[in-house]
Amino acid sequence: MAWEEWEQLKAQAADRQSTHMRLNHVDGGGGTYGPYALPQSYGDLKVGHDDLAKIGKAAHSLYNQLWDKARVAVPSSDSAAGDLSEQGFALGAGLQHVSDRWEEQLKSLMDACAQISNHMHTTTKLHAGDEDYVQRQMSSIDVLDAGFDERVGKPGDKNPIYGEKSEKK
């Protein structure tokens, strides 16, 4: 294709294109554009302690299942590989290689599961402490704000946070 022909095709395509078309845009109304449309309202990212605990528990459960079921194949494979090698079969070395790789990958996967489980446990504890700290700080700010806010109560009334005046005689 000649360069001039390419430029001509690009120009024709640009002429046919609607001026109202927008790419990488999300409809502000009720419609959506495709499966990756953003939600209409935005909020805070919320991950509850229960969610983190469930992830950690699932990782711990997977670790236990790998320990109980997948690890069993390693000793029997090593034994079979040794027997085959002693009998002069080249298959023994191949089976030993597969067994070694299986053990390496299994250990790697089990380490990853343990790390996820531990991380979720630690994260849950840290976020609980952070949440408590933020709540304590916010509650003390609310008390201070109530004392300084003149808009508490009806206009013209005294702020009830100060209580009633005691009469001294």
Side-chain angles (χ1 to χ4, degrees):
M1 179 182 296
W3 185 255
E4 294 86 24
E5 186 180 3
W6 172 248
E7 291 297 325
Q8 182 183 7
L9 290 172
K10 284 185 358 185
Q12 287 173 355
D15 290 339
R16 285 190 304 240
Q17 202 172 37
S18 171
T19 58
H20 299 292
M21 180 182 201
R22 291 186 180 197
L23 298 176
N24 297 327
H25 176 266
V26 176
D27 182 18
T32 60
Y33 290 107
Y36 302 110
L38 296 174
Q40 297 301 321
S41 63
Y42 300 99
D44 293 334
L45 174 63
K46 293 183 181 180
V47 177
H49 299 292
D50 293 339
D51 298 329
L52 296 175
K54 285 178 185 176
I55 293 169
K57 184 176 180 181
H60 190 271
S61 174
L62 179 57
Y63 177 89
N64 288 337
Q65 289 177 15
L66 289 170
W67 178 265
D68 293 338
K69 297 174 183 171
R71 194 177 49 87
V72 174
V74 174
S76 59
S77 298
D78 288 344
S79 175
D83 288 345
L84 287 170
S85 295
E86 285 176 9
Q87 295 175 22
F89 290 102
L91 182 61
L95 183 57
Q96 186 62 52
H97 174 75
V98 170
S99 178
D100 292 343
R101 290 292 293 157
W102 175 264
E103 189 172 9
E104 288 174 19
Q105 296 298 317
L106 180 61
K107 285 180 181 178
S108 177
L109 183 57
M110 289 176 69
D111 286 347
C113 289
Q115 187 175 8
I116 291 168
S117 177
N118 293 339
H119 182 71
M120 290 299 112
H121 183 71
T122 303
T123 300
T124 301
K125 283 186 173 183
L126 287 174
H127 285 298
D130 291 345
E131 187 72 22
D132 291 342
Y133 174 77
V134 169
Q135 285 178 349
R136 286 193 312 269
Q137 295 302 315
M138 295 305 291
S139 66
S140 64
I141 291 171
D142 287 342
V143 170
L144 288 172
D145 281 348
F148 289 106
D149 192 356
E150 298 298 330
R151 295 170 292 164
V152 174
K154 295 180 183 177
D157 288 350
K158 293 186 178 181
N159 192 331
I161 196 77
Y162 299 116
E164 296 293 324
K165 279 189 175 180
S166 62
E167 293 183 22
K168 290 186 179 180
K169 293 185 180 181

